[in-house]
């Protein structure tokens, strides 16, 4: 790609304006509108409102929920990650890591519905005599967050563990290092920053978790800043000023761990190494060794599937019966269509914006390496901002033109693009880095035009990542609830909102039926994303969920 | 390295070794005496590295189909884990620990044997002085040149006085002049600690400069048996 962008062509300028428009319109202006909304009154009263005991109590509750969820997730995620990492180290063709990425694409409304089905008073566990009655409690929220975040952390740790060269472990053995010594001196230093970064990421996700807390928290029993922002705007009279106070705290709580993630990721860069070729390793160790790992692998597969299968509880006898009902088609037909259109538009929007940003970074407009690096950080910023805060910003900034109560497809798509763009950017970035300059030049020498050279040399490299990224973004946006909750109308109700409404109005069978459908659609797209993603970089699939 | 106590050393004896590997059988029967530097050469993919890995215990013998015994002095080490064999191994890619500095890399073997901080640092500094790298003690191994990395790899393998030294093509990634220098340094280091040494190499110049004796891996296409045989060094 670099060679095609060697001159400052009109394509570069289009990319520049597109990226700038996106950054300003979807991030900078909404955030500016939120900060302006904060100081509508005089300074002292604003400070007084920020530190109001009621607000602080909610901040503490959010912090507590996120801390417990992240702590549980990071504890179990570390061990699962080390375990999976070791297995995939010896069996590099295993799809286990790919499956760890799947829970990232499970829609939060589906996860919440599934946990209600498991934990409810007459839920699945109760039918087996286990009366936990955890639904609509903090425990349920923590459990649900842990089930979503453990695979995220484990994936990060496993990738880091896998990147340790086997010769280092072997030389340590010849120097007398026991299994514990190897963990202490080689494996732990290798994985610790990845683990810390993933744990901070999990904390931020828990702070910004909306759909799950809204449904599983049951309203007043478990409230966080996210649900408070939503309630200030969508229930009763819209209290924009009150919502901005919560948005400020939300930015603080989510921003600090994101800052730490950037710090830890910078540390992590120094620990990543390419693994040596492991292809012959399995063969060289003989059948005894492989047999030993077969049992190990089976146990591991069970552990990994434990974080995927529970969600399929929403596809049960009641929900299938409801799905078979004629009423279903009337209720769900339009939302399915709408959800697919939104997912498609968001997918293409995020991918196109990511490509534009990548072209811009590689172009001559951005001259210094430092500037490129800063731009990269700036472009990943939306990932650290809550979708509800951005939605509030869009409401405040563009309320004159976009009436949230009338519904807006454009606002939903723009917000979802903003939300998933950083992930698309990270997925496509490594492809751009591995330039094939010599091959392209060879194609030129053989008489190919730039377009032909791109088609024959570069396009085969980009095809799988683009499909993977598009499918990933589309799958995630299919189940995204935050943006649609702000800009829906009675004529504009996508599937996640239908599930959320069903759960809140105690229409469980209907909610489970729609959740089942949503799960199947999202799962299909995420599996496509993970499978095509295996061909490129098996690592870059974390951080998709919201 | 300061105190020479090579009395604990014994010869390496590989007795009737036969290992089945992907459609061929590797057979070996040889010994290496204390102070001897043995070179092992043969075609690529013939099984030279596999032999080193078997000797170090990194590849296990499958007792249901493989046979043979490995002795170090009077002790049989065939079934022992790599940790208990006391063998120094230099990998082709050096396999230095990138997250530890030069000093920590060098003292790793001592640390695993419970040596005190003062003792292990003294030994490491002594080794570094011998190869002219004392100023690099606290440097990251990532910042070393190719030759410096190779010196650190040699030192790490030999400093803690292993009972056998195994080197897997240690000079292959270096340029010609540097190879000559490092070959001499290796011989010097080995004189200080004359454990039996087995060097796997393709390069005749390595054999001439380093080895005192030689093994050849003979490859017989028809019967799929590859034998390691002792040869006279020219």
């Amino acid at each position: 790609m670099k060679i095609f962008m060697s001159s400052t062509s009109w394509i570069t300028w289009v990319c520049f304006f597109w990226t700038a428009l996106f950054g300003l319109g979807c991030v900078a202006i909404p955030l500016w509108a939120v900060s302006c909304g904060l100081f509508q009154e005089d300074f002292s009263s604003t400070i007084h409102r920020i530190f109001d005991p009621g607000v602080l109590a909610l901040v503490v509750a959010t912090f507590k929920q996120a801390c417990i969820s992240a702590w549980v997730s990071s504890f179990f995620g570390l061990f699962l990650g080390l375990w999976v990492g070791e297995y995939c180290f010896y069996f590099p063709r295993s799809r286990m890591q790919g499956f760890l990425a799947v829970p990232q694409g499970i829609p939060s409304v589906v996860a919440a519905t599934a946990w209600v089905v498991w934990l409810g008073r007459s839920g699945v566990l109760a039918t087996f005599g286990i009366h936990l009655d955890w639904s609509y409690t903090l425990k349920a929220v923590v459990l649900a967050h842990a089930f979503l975040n453990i695979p995220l952390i484990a994936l990060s740790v496993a990738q880091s563990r896998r990147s340790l060269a086997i010769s280092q472990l072997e030389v340590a053995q010849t120097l007398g290092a026991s299994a514990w010594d190897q963990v202490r001196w080689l494996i732990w230093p290798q994985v610790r920053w990845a683990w810390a970064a993933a744990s901070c990421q999990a904390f931020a996700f828990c702070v910004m978790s909306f759909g799950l807390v809204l449904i599983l928290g049951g309203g007043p029993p478990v409230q966080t800043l996210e649900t408070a922002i939503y309630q200030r705007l969508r229930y009763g009279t819209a209290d924009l000023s009150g919502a901005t106070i919560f948005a400020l705290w939300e930015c603080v709580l989510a921003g600090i761990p994101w800052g730490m993630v950037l710090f830890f990721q910078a540390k992590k860069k120094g620990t990543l190494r390419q693994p040596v070729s492991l292809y012959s390793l399995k063969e060289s160790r003989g059948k005894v060794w492989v047999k030993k790992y077969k049992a190990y692998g089976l146990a591991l597969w069970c552990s990994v599937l434990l974080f995927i299968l529970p969600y399929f509880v929403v596809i049960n006898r009641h929900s299938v019966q409801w799905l078979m009902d004629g009423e279903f088609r009337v209720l769900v037909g339009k939302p399915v269509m709408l959800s697919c259109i939104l997912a498609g538009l968001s997918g293409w929007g995020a991918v196109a914006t990511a490509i534009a940003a990548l072209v811009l970074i590689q172009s001559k407009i951005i001259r210094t390496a430092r500037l490129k690096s800063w731009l990269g950080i700036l472009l990943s910023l939306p990932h650290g901002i809550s979708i509800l805060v951005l939605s509030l910003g869009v409401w405040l900034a563009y309320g004159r033109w976009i009436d949230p109560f009338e519904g807006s497809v454009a606002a939903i798509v723009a917000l979802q693009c903003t939300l998933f763009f950083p992930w698309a950017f990270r997925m496509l970035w490594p492809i751009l880095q591995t330039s094939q300059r010599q091959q392209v030049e060879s194609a030129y020498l053989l008489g190919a035009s730039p377009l032909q050279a791109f088609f024959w040399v570069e396009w085969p490299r980009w095809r799988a990542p683009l499909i993977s990224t598009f499918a990933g973004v589309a799958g995630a946006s299919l189940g995204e609830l935050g943006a649609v909750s702000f800009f829906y109308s009675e004529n504009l109700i996508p599937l996640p909102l239908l599930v959320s409404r069903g759960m809140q109005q105690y229409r469980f069978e209907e909610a489970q039926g729609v959740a089942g459908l949503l799960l199947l659609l999202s799962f299909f797209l995420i599996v496509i994303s993970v499978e095509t993603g295996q061909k490129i970089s098996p690592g870059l699939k974390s951080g998709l969920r919201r | 390295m300061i105190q020479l106590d090579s009395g604990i050393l014994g010869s390496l004896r590989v007795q009737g070794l036969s290992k089945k590997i992907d459609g061929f059988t590797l057979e070996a029967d040889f010994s290496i005496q204390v102070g001897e530097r043995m070179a092992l050469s043969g075609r690529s993919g013939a099984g030279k590295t596999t032999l080193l890995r078997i000797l170090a215990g990194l590849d296990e013998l499958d007792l249901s189909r493989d046979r043979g015994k490995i002795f170090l002095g009077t002790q049989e080490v065939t079934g022992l884990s790599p940790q208990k064999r006391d063998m120094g191994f230099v990998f082709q890619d050096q396999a230095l620990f990138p997250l530890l500095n030069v000093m920590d890399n060098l003292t790793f073997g001592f640390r695993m044997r419970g040596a005190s901080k003062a003792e292990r640092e003294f030994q490491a500094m002594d080794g570094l002085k011998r190869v002219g790298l004392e100023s690099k003690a606290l440097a990251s191994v990532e910042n070393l040149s190719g030759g410096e990395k190779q010196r650190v790899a040699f030192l790490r393998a030999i400093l803690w006085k292993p009972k056998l030294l195994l080197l897997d093509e240690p000079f292959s990634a270096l340029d010609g002049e540097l190879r000559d220098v490092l070959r001499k340094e290796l011989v010097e280091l080995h004189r200080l600690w004359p454990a039996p040494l087995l060097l796997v190499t393709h390069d005749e110049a390595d054999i001439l400069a380093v080895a005192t004796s030689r093994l050849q891996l003979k490859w017989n296409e028809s019967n799929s048996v590859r034998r390691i045989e002792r040869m006279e060094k020219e």
Side-chain angles (χ1 to χ4, degrees), chain A residues 168 170-171 173-175 177 181 185-186 189 273, chain B residues 53 82-83 87 97-99 111-113 142 160:
Chain A
Q168 287 175 26
E170 288 181 340
V171 86
Q173 285 176 36
T174 63
L175 289 167
D181 289 324
W185 293 101
L186 300 176
R273 298 285 176 282
Chain B
R53 295 177 62 85
Q83 287 89 343
M87 295 180 183
F97 306 135
L99 300 179
R111 201 190 286 268
M112 294 306 118
R113 284 160 183 79
E142 295 287 281
W160 57 280

PDB file of all heavy atoms in Angstrom, chain A residues 168 170-171 173-175 177 181 185-186 189 273, chain B residues 53 82-83 87 97-99 111-113 142 160:
ATOM      1  N   GLN A 168      14.177 -20.559  24.220  1.00  0.00           N
ATOM      2  CA  GLN A 168      14.476 -19.919  25.517  1.00  0.00           C
ATOM      3  C   GLN A 168      14.069 -20.810  26.682  1.00  0.00           C
ATOM      4  O   GLN A 168      14.777 -20.910  27.684  1.00  0.00           O
ATOM      5  CB  GLN A 168      13.747 -18.583  25.615  1.00  0.00           C
ATOM      6  CG  GLN A 168      14.365 -17.538  24.732  1.00  0.00           C
ATOM      7  CD  GLN A 168      13.581 -16.262  24.750  1.00  0.00           C
ATOM      8  OE1 GLN A 168      12.899 -15.959  25.707  1.00  0.00           O
ATOM      9  NE2 GLN A 168      13.677 -15.520  23.680  1.00  0.00           N
ATOM     10  N   GLU A 170      13.818 -24.022  26.509  1.00  0.00           N
ATOM     11  CA  GLU A 170      14.687 -25.207  26.498  1.00  0.00           C
ATOM     12  C   GLU A 170      16.055 -24.907  27.079  1.00  0.00           C
ATOM     13  O   GLU A 170      16.614 -25.703  27.837  1.00  0.00           O
ATOM     14  CB  GLU A 170      14.797 -25.735  25.070  1.00  0.00           C
ATOM     15  CG  GLU A 170      13.499 -26.399  24.633  1.00  0.00           C
ATOM     16  CD  GLU A 170      13.550 -26.970  23.245  1.00  0.00           C
ATOM     17  OE1 GLU A 170      14.411 -26.554  22.456  1.00  0.00           O
ATOM     18  OE2 GLU A 170      12.716 -27.840  22.944  1.00  0.00           O
ATOM     19  N   VAL A 171      16.583 -23.751  26.735  1.00  0.00           N
ATOM     20  CA  VAL A 171      17.901 -23.420  27.277  1.00  0.00           C
ATOM     21  C   VAL A 171      17.796 -23.224  28.792  1.00  0.00           C
ATOM     22  O   VAL A 171      18.713 -23.589  29.545  1.00  0.00           O
ATOM     23  CB  VAL A 171      18.513 -22.191  26.550  1.00  0.00           C
ATOM     24  CG1 VAL A 171      18.078 -20.891  27.124  1.00  0.00           C
ATOM     25  CG2 VAL A 171      20.024 -22.260  26.584  1.00  0.00           C
ATOM     26  N   GLN A 173      15.830 -24.872  30.706  1.00  0.00           N
ATOM     27  CA  GLN A 173      15.814 -26.235  31.270  1.00  0.00           C
ATOM     28  C   GLN A 173      17.227 -26.788  31.367  1.00  0.00           C
ATOM     29  O   GLN A 173      17.602 -27.387  32.369  1.00  0.00           O
ATOM     30  CB  GLN A 173      14.975 -27.158  30.389  1.00  0.00           C
ATOM     31  CG  GLN A 173      13.492 -26.944  30.527  1.00  0.00           C
ATOM     32  CD  GLN A 173      12.707 -27.809  29.559  1.00  0.00           C
ATOM     33  OE1 GLN A 173      13.084 -28.938  29.272  1.00  0.00           O
ATOM     34  NE2 GLN A 173      11.627 -27.294  29.047  1.00  0.00           N
ATOM     35  N   THR A 174      18.022 -26.576  30.319  1.00  0.00           N
ATOM     36  CA  THR A 174      19.395 -27.105  30.363  1.00  0.00           C
ATOM     37  C   THR A 174      20.220 -26.389  31.433  1.00  0.00           C
ATOM     38  O   THR A 174      21.188 -26.929  31.932  1.00  0.00           O
ATOM     39  CB  THR A 174      20.120 -26.963  29.011  1.00  0.00           C
ATOM     40  OG1 THR A 174      20.245 -25.584  28.711  1.00  0.00           O
ATOM     41  CG2 THR A 174      19.396 -27.676  27.897  1.00  0.00           C
ATOM     42  N   LEU A 175      19.792 -25.169  31.773  1.00  0.00           N
ATOM     43  CA  LEU A 175      20.504 -24.442  32.838  1.00  0.00           C
ATOM     44  C   LEU A 175      19.969 -24.807  34.222  1.00  0.00           C
ATOM     45  O   LEU A 175      20.393 -24.242  35.220  1.00  0.00           O
ATOM     46  CB  LEU A 175      20.374 -22.938  32.607  1.00  0.00           C
ATOM     47  CG  LEU A 175      21.160 -22.389  31.408  1.00  0.00           C
ATOM     48  CD1 LEU A 175      20.722 -20.972  31.088  1.00  0.00           C
ATOM     49  CD2 LEU A 175      22.656 -22.428  31.667  1.00  0.00           C
ATOM     50  N   ALA A 177      16.527 -24.828  35.177  1.00  0.00           N
ATOM     51  CA  ALA A 177      15.296 -24.173  35.633  1.00  0.00           C
ATOM     52  C   ALA A 177      14.149 -25.174  35.737  1.00  0.00           C
ATOM     53  O   ALA A 177      13.860 -25.883  34.779  1.00  0.00           O
ATOM     54  CB  ALA A 177      14.932 -23.052  34.669  1.00  0.00           C
ATOM     55  N   ASP A 181      10.585 -22.120  38.003  1.00  0.00           N
ATOM     56  CA  ASP A 181      11.607 -21.135  37.611  1.00  0.00           C
ATOM     57  C   ASP A 181      11.318 -20.569  36.230  1.00  0.00           C
ATOM     58  O   ASP A 181      11.523 -19.379  35.980  1.00  0.00           O
ATOM     59  CB  ASP A 181      12.999 -21.782  37.598  1.00  0.00           C
ATOM     60  CG  ASP A 181      13.502 -22.077  38.997  1.00  0.00           C
ATOM     61  OD1 ASP A 181      13.217 -21.271  39.897  1.00  0.00           O
ATOM     62  OD2 ASP A 181      14.149 -23.123  39.186  1.00  0.00           O
ATOM     63  N   TRP A 185      10.896 -16.640  35.782  1.00  0.00           N
ATOM     64  CA  TRP A 185      11.929 -15.851  35.116  1.00  0.00           C
ATOM     65  C   TRP A 185      11.658 -15.571  33.651  1.00  0.00           C
ATOM     66  O   TRP A 185      12.201 -14.625  33.093  1.00  0.00           O
ATOM     67  CB  TRP A 185      13.294 -16.537  35.252  1.00  0.00           C
ATOM     68  CG  TRP A 185      13.763 -16.550  36.657  1.00  0.00           C
ATOM     69  CD1 TRP A 185      13.716 -17.601  37.529  1.00  0.00           C
ATOM     70  CD2 TRP A 185      14.296 -15.455  37.388  1.00  0.00           C
ATOM     71  NE1 TRP A 185      14.186 -17.230  38.746  1.00  0.00           N
ATOM     72  CE2 TRP A 185      14.567 -15.919  38.696  1.00  0.00           C
ATOM     73  CE3 TRP A 185      14.587 -14.126  37.073  1.00  0.00           C
ATOM     74  CZ2 TRP A 185      15.096 -15.101  39.682  1.00  0.00           C
ATOM     75  CZ3 TRP A 185      15.118 -13.311  38.050  1.00  0.00           C
ATOM     76  CH2 TRP A 185      15.369 -13.807  39.338  1.00  0.00           C
ATOM     77  N   LEU A 186      10.875 -16.419  33.008  1.00  0.00           N
ATOM     78  CA  LEU A 186      10.671 -16.226  31.573  1.00  0.00           C
ATOM     79  C   LEU A 186       9.214 -15.948  31.209  1.00  0.00           C
ATOM     80  O   LEU A 186       8.923 -15.004  30.473  1.00  0.00           O
ATOM     81  CB  LEU A 186      11.152 -17.469  30.797  1.00  0.00           C
ATOM     82  CG  LEU A 186      12.626 -17.808  30.968  1.00  0.00           C
ATOM     83  CD1 LEU A 186      12.964 -19.089  30.256  1.00  0.00           C
ATOM     84  CD2 LEU A 186      13.485 -16.669  30.442  1.00  0.00           C
ATOM     85  N   PRO A 189       7.561 -12.563  33.150  1.00  0.00           N
ATOM     86  CA  PRO A 189       7.984 -11.288  32.540  1.00  0.00           C
ATOM     87  C   PRO A 189       7.430 -11.107  31.132  1.00  0.00           C
ATOM     88  O   PRO A 189       7.205  -9.990  30.687  1.00  0.00           O
ATOM     89  CB  PRO A 189       9.514 -11.398  32.496  1.00  0.00           C
ATOM     90  CG  PRO A 189       9.849 -12.372  33.552  1.00  0.00           C
ATOM     91  CD  PRO A 189       8.720 -13.368  33.576  1.00  0.00           C
ATOM     92  N   ARG A 273       7.815 -11.342  20.765  1.00  0.00           N
ATOM     93  CA  ARG A 273       8.797 -11.954  19.872  1.00  0.00           C
ATOM     94  C   ARG A 273       8.062 -12.920  18.958  1.00  0.00           C
ATOM     95  O   ARG A 273       7.052 -13.497  19.343  1.00  0.00           O
ATOM     96  CB  ARG A 273       9.828 -12.769  20.667  1.00  0.00           C
ATOM     97  CG  ARG A 273      10.632 -11.957  21.619  1.00  0.00           C
ATOM     98  CD  ARG A 273      11.673 -11.132  20.850  1.00  0.00           C
ATOM     99  NE  ARG A 273      12.382 -10.286  21.763  1.00  0.00           N
ATOM    100  CZ  ARG A 273      11.906  -9.152  22.262  1.00  0.00           C
ATOM    101  NH1 ARG A 273      10.691  -8.753  21.961  1.00  0.00           N
ATOM    102  NH2 ARG A 273      12.616  -8.426  23.092  1.00  0.00           N
TER     103      ARG A 273
ATOM    104  N   ARG B  53      19.639 -32.707  21.006  1.00  0.00           N
ATOM    105  CA  ARG B  53      18.445 -32.566  21.847  1.00  0.00           C
ATOM    106  C   ARG B  53      18.214 -33.821  22.685  1.00  0.00           C
ATOM    107  O   ARG B  53      17.791 -33.731  23.839  1.00  0.00           O
ATOM    108  CB  ARG B  53      17.215 -32.263  20.984  1.00  0.00           C
ATOM    109  CG  ARG B  53      17.303 -30.910  20.271  1.00  0.00           C
ATOM    110  CD  ARG B  53      16.100 -30.679  19.371  1.00  0.00           C
ATOM    111  NE  ARG B  53      14.887 -30.652  20.166  1.00  0.00           N
ATOM    112  CZ  ARG B  53      14.405 -29.575  20.786  1.00  0.00           C
ATOM    113  NH1 ARG B  53      15.044 -28.434  20.681  1.00  0.00           N
ATOM    114  NH2 ARG B  53      13.305 -29.643  21.485  1.00  0.00           N
ATOM    115  N   PRO B  82      16.072 -32.538  31.606  1.00  0.00           N
ATOM    116  CA  PRO B  82      17.176 -31.637  31.230  1.00  0.00           C
ATOM    117  C   PRO B  82      17.761 -30.889  32.437  1.00  0.00           C
ATOM    118  O   PRO B  82      18.969 -30.621  32.474  1.00  0.00           O
ATOM    119  CB  PRO B  82      16.510 -30.638  30.279  1.00  0.00           C
ATOM    120  CG  PRO B  82      15.285 -31.289  29.804  1.00  0.00           C
ATOM    121  CD  PRO B  82      14.841 -32.237  30.855  1.00  0.00           C
ATOM    122  N   GLN B  83      16.895 -30.608  33.415  1.00  0.00           N
ATOM    123  CA  GLN B  83      17.352 -29.848  34.587  1.00  0.00           C
ATOM    124  C   GLN B  83      18.402 -30.610  35.391  1.00  0.00           C
ATOM    125  O   GLN B  83      19.242 -30.011  36.049  1.00  0.00           O
ATOM    126  CB  GLN B  83      16.175 -29.524  35.516  1.00  0.00           C
ATOM    127  CG  GLN B  83      15.239 -28.461  34.992  1.00  0.00           C
ATOM    128  CD  GLN B  83      14.117 -29.008  34.134  1.00  0.00           C
ATOM    129  OE1 GLN B  83      14.194 -30.143  33.656  1.00  0.00           O
ATOM    130  NE2 GLN B  83      13.094 -28.209  33.909  1.00  0.00           N
ATOM    131  N   MET B  87      24.049 -30.049  31.640  1.00  0.00           N
ATOM    132  CA  MET B  87      24.678 -29.885  30.319  1.00  0.00           C
ATOM    133  C   MET B  87      24.470 -28.470  29.824  1.00  0.00           C
ATOM    134  O   MET B  87      23.364 -27.943  29.868  1.00  0.00           O
ATOM    135  CB  MET B  87      24.052 -30.857  29.317  1.00  0.00           C
ATOM    136  CG  MET B  87      24.298 -32.306  29.644  1.00  0.00           C
ATOM    137  SD  MET B  87      23.517 -33.350  28.418  1.00  0.00           S
ATOM    138  CE  MET B  87      23.886 -34.967  29.095  1.00  0.00           C
ATOM    139  N   PHE B  97      17.756 -14.657  26.891  1.00  0.00           N
ATOM    140  CA  PHE B  97      16.473 -14.232  27.449  1.00  0.00           C
ATOM    141  C   PHE B  97      16.323 -12.725  27.234  1.00  0.00           C
ATOM    142  O   PHE B  97      17.026 -11.947  27.884  1.00  0.00           O
ATOM    143  CB  PHE B  97      16.397 -14.564  28.939  1.00  0.00           C
ATOM    144  CG  PHE B  97      16.666 -16.008  29.243  1.00  0.00           C
ATOM    145  CD1 PHE B  97      17.511 -16.379  30.282  1.00  0.00           C
ATOM    146  CD2 PHE B  97      16.077 -17.017  28.496  1.00  0.00           C
ATOM    147  CE1 PHE B  97      17.756 -17.712  30.557  1.00  0.00           C
ATOM    148  CE2 PHE B  97      16.320 -18.346  28.754  1.00  0.00           C
ATOM    149  CZ  PHE B  97      17.167 -18.696  29.795  1.00  0.00           C
ATOM    150  N   PRO B  98      15.429 -12.295  26.351  1.00  0.00           N
ATOM    151  CA  PRO B  98      15.403 -10.873  25.975  1.00  0.00           C
ATOM    152  C   PRO B  98      14.937  -9.946  27.087  1.00  0.00           C
ATOM    153  O   PRO B  98      15.218  -8.765  27.064  1.00  0.00           O
ATOM    154  CB  PRO B  98      14.423 -10.834  24.798  1.00  0.00           C
ATOM    155  CG  PRO B  98      13.582 -12.045  24.950  1.00  0.00           C
ATOM    156  CD  PRO B  98      14.406 -13.074  25.626  1.00  0.00           C
ATOM    157  N   LEU B  99      14.226 -10.492  28.066  1.00  0.00           N
ATOM    158  CA  LEU B  99      13.726  -9.621  29.135  1.00  0.00           C
ATOM    159  C   LEU B  99      14.690  -9.547  30.320  1.00  0.00           C
ATOM    160  O   LEU B  99      14.424  -8.854  31.289  1.00  0.00           O
ATOM    161  CB  LEU B  99      12.350 -10.099  29.604  1.00  0.00           C
ATOM    162  CG  LEU B  99      11.279 -10.117  28.506  1.00  0.00           C
ATOM    163  CD1 LEU B  99       9.965 -10.623  29.036  1.00  0.00           C
ATOM    164  CD2 LEU B  99      11.102  -8.743  27.900  1.00  0.00           C
ATOM    165  N   ARG B 111      21.920 -19.106  39.524  1.00  0.00           N
ATOM    166  CA  ARG B 111      20.717 -18.798  40.308  1.00  0.00           C
ATOM    167  C   ARG B 111      19.878 -20.059  40.502  1.00  0.00           C
ATOM    168  O   ARG B 111      19.355 -20.308  41.578  1.00  0.00           O
ATOM    169  CB  ARG B 111      19.905 -17.733  39.561  1.00  0.00           C
ATOM    170  CG  ARG B 111      18.936 -16.968  40.425  1.00  0.00           C
ATOM    171  CD  ARG B 111      18.034 -16.133  39.537  1.00  0.00           C
ATOM    172  NE  ARG B 111      18.665 -14.976  38.954  1.00  0.00           N
ATOM    173  CZ  ARG B 111      18.665 -13.762  39.512  1.00  0.00           C
ATOM    174  NH1 ARG B 111      18.090 -13.570  40.671  1.00  0.00           N
ATOM    175  NH2 ARG B 111      19.235 -12.759  38.900  1.00  0.00           N
ATOM    176  N   MET B 112      19.788 -20.853  39.441  1.00  0.00           N
ATOM    177  CA  MET B 112      18.989 -22.088  39.516  1.00  0.00           C
ATOM    178  C   MET B 112      19.617 -23.098  40.469  1.00  0.00           C
ATOM    179  O   MET B 112      18.979 -24.025  40.931  1.00  0.00           O
ATOM    180  CB  MET B 112      18.854 -22.733  38.124  1.00  0.00           C
ATOM    181  CG  MET B 112      18.065 -21.921  37.150  1.00  0.00           C
ATOM    182  SD  MET B 112      16.443 -21.482  37.767  1.00  0.00           S
ATOM    183  CE  MET B 112      16.533 -19.704  37.818  1.00  0.00           C
ATOM    184  N   ARG B 113      20.907 -22.911  40.730  1.00  0.00           N
ATOM    185  CA  ARG B 113      21.604 -23.830  41.652  1.00  0.00           C
ATOM    186  C   ARG B 113      21.804 -23.216  43.027  1.00  0.00           C
ATOM    187  O   ARG B 113      22.597 -23.718  43.826  1.00  0.00           O
ATOM    188  CB  ARG B 113      22.939 -24.242  41.040  1.00  0.00           C
ATOM    189  CG  ARG B 113      22.734 -25.256  39.958  1.00  0.00           C
ATOM    190  CD  ARG B 113      23.867 -25.393  38.990  1.00  0.00           C
ATOM    191  NE  ARG B 113      23.444 -26.359  37.976  1.00  0.00           N
ATOM    192  CZ  ARG B 113      22.635 -26.059  36.966  1.00  0.00           C
ATOM    193  NH1 ARG B 113      22.189 -24.835  36.808  1.00  0.00           N
ATOM    194  NH2 ARG B 113      22.253 -27.000  36.124  1.00  0.00           N
ATOM    195  N   GLU B 142      19.191  -7.265  23.848  1.00  0.00           N
ATOM    196  CA  GLU B 142      18.675  -6.810  22.557  1.00  0.00           C
ATOM    197  C   GLU B 142      19.624  -5.802  21.904  1.00  0.00           C
ATOM    198  O   GLU B 142      19.630  -5.654  20.689  1.00  0.00           O
ATOM    199  CB  GLU B 142      17.316  -6.127  22.737  1.00  0.00           C
ATOM    200  CG  GLU B 142      16.242  -7.056  23.213  1.00  0.00           C
ATOM    201  CD  GLU B 142      15.775  -8.017  22.139  1.00  0.00           C
ATOM    202  OE1 GLU B 142      14.993  -7.601  21.292  1.00  0.00           O
ATOM    203  OE2 GLU B 142      16.230  -9.171  22.147  1.00  0.00           O
ATOM    204  N   TRP B 160      28.798 -21.848  34.495  1.00  0.00           N
ATOM    205  CA  TRP B 160      28.371 -22.582  35.698  1.00  0.00           C
ATOM    206  C   TRP B 160      28.944 -24.000  35.745  1.00  0.00           C
ATOM    207  O   TRP B 160      28.520 -24.825  36.548  1.00  0.00           O
ATOM    208  CB  TRP B 160      26.848 -22.590  35.800  1.00  0.00           C
ATOM    209  CG  TRP B 160      26.144 -23.159  34.611  1.00  0.00           C
ATOM    210  CD1 TRP B 160      25.893 -22.513  33.444  1.00  0.00           C
ATOM    211  CD2 TRP B 160      25.651 -24.477  34.440  1.00  0.00           C
ATOM    212  NE1 TRP B 160      25.273 -23.351  32.563  1.00  0.00           N
ATOM    213  CE2 TRP B 160      25.100 -24.561  33.154  1.00  0.00           C
ATOM    214  CE3 TRP B 160      25.607 -25.613  35.250  1.00  0.00           C
ATOM    215  CZ2 TRP B 160      24.516 -25.717  32.641  1.00  0.00           C
ATOM    216  CZ3 TRP B 160      25.011 -26.756  34.744  1.00  0.00           C
ATOM    217  CH2 TRP B 160      24.492 -26.814  33.455  1.00  0.00           C
TER     218      TRP B 160
END
